[in-house]
Amino acid sequence: MKENTGKLEHYALSHWPDADHVASKMQKLVDAPLLHIKPEAMKRYLAYFDEKCARSKQMIEEAKEYIPGGVQHNLAFNYPFPLAMEKAEGAYLYDVDGNRYVDYLQAGGPTMLGSNYPGINEAAEKVLKENGAVIGLFNEYEMKLAKIIHENMPWVERYRSLASGTESDMVAIRIARTFTGKANIVKEGGAYHGWSDQLVYSLHIPYTGRFEAHGIPKECTAHTQEFYPGNIDSLRKILEENENNGGTAAVLLEPFGPECGTRVAHRDFCAKVRQLCDEFGALLIFDEVVTAFRAGPGGAQGYLNVRPDLTVFGKIVSGGFPMAGGVGGRADIMDSIAAGVAGGAAKAYVGGTLSANPLTCATGYYAIKEIVEKDAAKIAGEQGDKLTQGIQKLIDRYHLPFVAWNFGSIIHFEVSGVMYLSVQDPDIMKKLPERYANIKAFGAAMTANGVITLAGSRIYTSMADNDETLKATLDAFDEVFSNIEVE
Ligand SMILES: Cc1ncc(COP(=O)(O)O)c(C=O)c1O
């Protein structure tokens, strides 16, 4: 087995956040009464939308006739109404009313080189001219993509292109079940692994089980289990119990912690999980939908130097182009996947008419090449560090209980701590909507100040960020923080 050769100087993370420190600050935040934006300031922020975003409003009203909820994405809170975007360039988004925003939503993560990146667009144009969008037969870019992933993440010995992160998580657990002959899949409470029938389980808040599993029969989640985030004893207990219950096919982890490190894992946590998986004969699956190439050329696994058996990819492996996903890993395990109907040993049935289309494989290949050659993860990570430090200074200056931390270019800032609510809290059903509404208001206030975040609590920085975008962002935080009502 080759070692992961990634050099840490090319990684986004200059440090690992202090898990205990973040956890204790978050506990305080969630135990404290909510802080609100002053009503007169909130009125002004909402007036921004009515006065400056009239075309968006009109468009969304019309869209509601044809699209459920009027919008296809839930990455932004879309409060007070979704904004319609017209142009994306570098670090900025422009809406249909001509307003400019610093873009930290980053389409959910994939545009780490900056939006609308010319090099990737040129590659797409070339492939389109030569092949059109899809052929359905082997194309050299399929191999180039698999090879460049392997070169940077050597534990990904074999790679299969798929359509999305959701599909790739689904495929990874199917491969694990086929290879091990066991059914149980253990995930971390609160983690997100897409919306497939089996994985809409304990999303966002640990031990919420099937709370969001509407339309999903109970049988589908019968073999999905969870352990308490970051708690190795909790995982061990489940693995031990499973010994008398068919064993465990796989443990599925977001390596930085659930929801991309919303609950920060200790740095040695993944290594401990690796040991447990070996002890109990379970496969270790890393969901690197966000962290692959964003954490650094070797992904979170390279940074942590922990070998998963399977890795799930999304978003970035297409450079942001459609059909963005894949699964890779140990050759013998990956060989349990069938291309079509294969005879002989049991194979996991996996396919997809548009998967591995030349367009996506080419854009993915060139995006990864560019990310590595330009040191994009590191540059975006440096911007993430500067921004987090700036946010922290403002939190301190205004004596606010808010919490900010980052894994390089992945920044978390929490004003309400909704994902830290506990199912044991008898008031959870009252607190949930209040705390969601609070982040929504905060997200709207930031948008009115020209900054778009992911769901009001996450920021992805990119290679396109610079002193100008950082200043504009910190000015926005300053303006909003100055309008928080403190007793
Ligand atoms: C960790 C993780 N896994 C899986 C997914 C699902 O990916 P997709 O939206 O491409 O289906 C996401 C999406 O944000 C994610 O963050």
Side-chain angles (χ1 to χ4, degrees):
M1 176 73 60
K2 269 199 225 167
E3 280 307 295
N4 194 318
T5 51
K7 294 208 176 74
L8 286 192
E9 69 251 36
H10 297 297
Y11 279 72
L13 287 78
S14 61
H15 64 284
W16 186 264
D18 181 335
D20 295 331
H21 186 64
V22 171
S24 94
K25 280 168 101 174
M26 285 304 297
Q27 199 52 52
K28 274 190 202 142
L29 177 69
V30 87
D31 287 343
L34 272 176
L35 293 183
H36 296 281
I37 293 170
K38 290 174 189 157
E40 62 277 16
M42 199 62 222
K43 213 165 143 192
R44 191 160 39 81
Y45 299 141
L46 294 179
Y48 166 86
F49 289 87
D50 280 331
E51 288 161 16
K52 301 275 175 146
C53 309
R55 285 193 63 212
S56 275
K57 190 172 186 181
Q58 198 185 6
M59 215 179 256
I60 296 300
E61 279 309 311
E62 191 185 351
K64 277 187 198 158
E65 295 287 321
Y66 307 103
I67 296 171
V71 68
Q72 310 279 19
H73 292 104
N74 60 0
L75 289 169
F77 272 133
N78 297 318
Y79 174 74
F81 52 82
L83 294 182
M85 292 299 163
E86 191 166 62
K87 183 173 143 188
E89 198 166 62
Y92 295 104
L93 293 173
Y94 299 81
D95 69 17
V96 290
D97 291 280
N99 303 302
R100 187 177 84 162
Y101 305 90
V102 187
D103 170 21
Y104 292 119
L105 189 134
Q106 294 253 307
T111 55
M112 196 178 65
L113 291 162
S115 282
N116 206 354
Y117 193 74
I120 309 302
N121 291 351
E122 281 157 23
E125 277 165 32
K126 184 170 167 283
V127 175
L128 277 175
K129 272 198 192 130
E130 285 167 4
N131 300 283
V134 69
I135 301 174
L137 292 173
F138 185 81
N139 177 279
E140 68 164 320
Y141 285 109
E142 281 178 45
M143 194 184 66
K144 283 190 151 157
L145 177 62
K147 199 168 161 192
I148 199 168
I149 292 174
H150 171 71
E151 282 163 2
N152 286 285
M153 302 175 76
W155 292 321
V156 179
E157 294 172 342
R158 302 266 195 279
Y159 177 76
R160 166 60 67 89
S161 284
L162 295 158
S164 68
T166 297
E167 197 187 74
S168 306
D169 272 306
M170 203 169 86
V171 169
I173 63 177
R174 183 171 299 174
I175 295 175
R177 285 170 168 160
T178 306
F179 185 79
T180 61
K182 302 169 188 170
N184 293 319
I185 301 291
V186 189
K187 74 180 277 276
E188 238 174 332
Y192 182 62
H193 301 291
W195 49 271
S196 71
D197 279 359
Q198 297 166 80
L199 291 171
V200 176
Y201 189 82
S202 263
L203 304 186
H204 314 305
I205 299 175
Y207 297 121
T208 45
R210 290 178 44 83
F211 185 65
E212 297 191 66
H214 307 292
I216 301 175
K218 278 207 179 77
E219 300 75 37
C220 294
T221 47
H223 295 286
T224 311
Q225 304 167 325
E226 69 179 301
F227 66 98
Y228 194 78
N231 187 324
I232 202 76
D233 295 333
S234 166
L235 175 59
R236 172 176 281 283
K237 189 162 173 281
I238 292 186
L239 296 177
E240 280 173 358
E241 282 166 9
N242 282 352
E243 288 295 277
N244 297 320
N245 183 24
T248 304
V251 177
L252 175 58
L253 280 189
E254 289 182 72
F256 290 169
E259 282 282 351
C260 222
T262 295
R263 286 175 190 260
V264 180
H266 283 104
R267 192 178 166 152
D268 61 356
F269 184 69
C270 288
K272 287 184 179 165
V273 176
R274 171 76 269 172
Q275 281 174 0
L276 273 193
C277 284
D278 291 342
E279 186 182 331
F280 287 90
L283 300 189
L284 174 60
I285 306 174
F286 276 179
D287 181 337
E288 293 229 37
V289 165
V290 175
T291 50
F293 300 102
R294 183 169 277 283
Q301 56 197 262
Y303 181 79
L304 295 167
N305 199 23
V306 175
R307 176 184 61 79
D309 298 297
L310 292 172
T311 303
V312 174
F313 296 85
K315 308 178 194 272
I316 229 160
V317 285
S318 67
F321 275 70
M323 307 302 290
V327 177
R330 230 173 73 191
D332 56 334
I333 300 173
M334 285 301 293
D335 286 344
S336 336
I337 219 173
V341 184
K347 300 266 185 191
Y349 197 95
V350 171
T353 307
L354 296 189
S355 297
N357 63 75
L359 174 65
T360 303
C361 291
T363 53
Y365 166 71
Y366 285 112
I368 292 171
K369 191 163 174 290
E370 194 75 354
I371 286 169
V372 174
E373 284 175 8
K374 292 266 163 57
D375 235 355
K378 184 176 176 179
I379 296 169
E382 285 165 356
Q383 302 297 335
D385 280 350
K386 282 192 216 163
L387 195 48
T388 314
Q389 285 155 16
I391 297 169
Q392 187 59 55
K393 271 193 193 144
L394 290 168
I395 291 174
D396 295 342
R397 180 171 357 127
Y398 288 101
H399 304 289
L400 296 168
F402 303 158
V403 191
W405 69 96
N406 71 310
F407 296 87
S409 61
I410 304 165
I411 304 176
H412 294 271
F413 62 94
E414 289 281 343
V415 297
S416 90
V418 68
M419 285 198 248
Y420 274 72
L421 287 173
S422 162
V423 288
Q424 280 161 350
D425 182 343
D427 291 331
I428 187 169
M429 292 317 285
K430 182 169 160 277
K431 289 181 181 170
L432 254 180
E434 280 173 2
R435 286 189 179 247
Y436 264 120
N438 187 271
I439 333 179
K440 271 190 191 178
F442 191 86
M446 290 298 289
T447 305
N449 274 283
V451 172
I452 294 201
T453 60
L454 194 153
S457 60
R458 202 183 300 172
I459 278 176
Y460 291 128
T461 50
S462 77
M463 191 174 84
D465 281 312
N466 53 41
D467 289 349
E468 192 189 319
T469 56
L470 293 195
K471 183 176 178 319
T473 310
L474 291 174
D475 286 350
F477 270 101
D478 195 349
E479 203 282 330
V480 179
F481 283 177
S482 73
N483 283 299
I484 300 287
E485 205 159 36
V486 270
E487 311 263 304

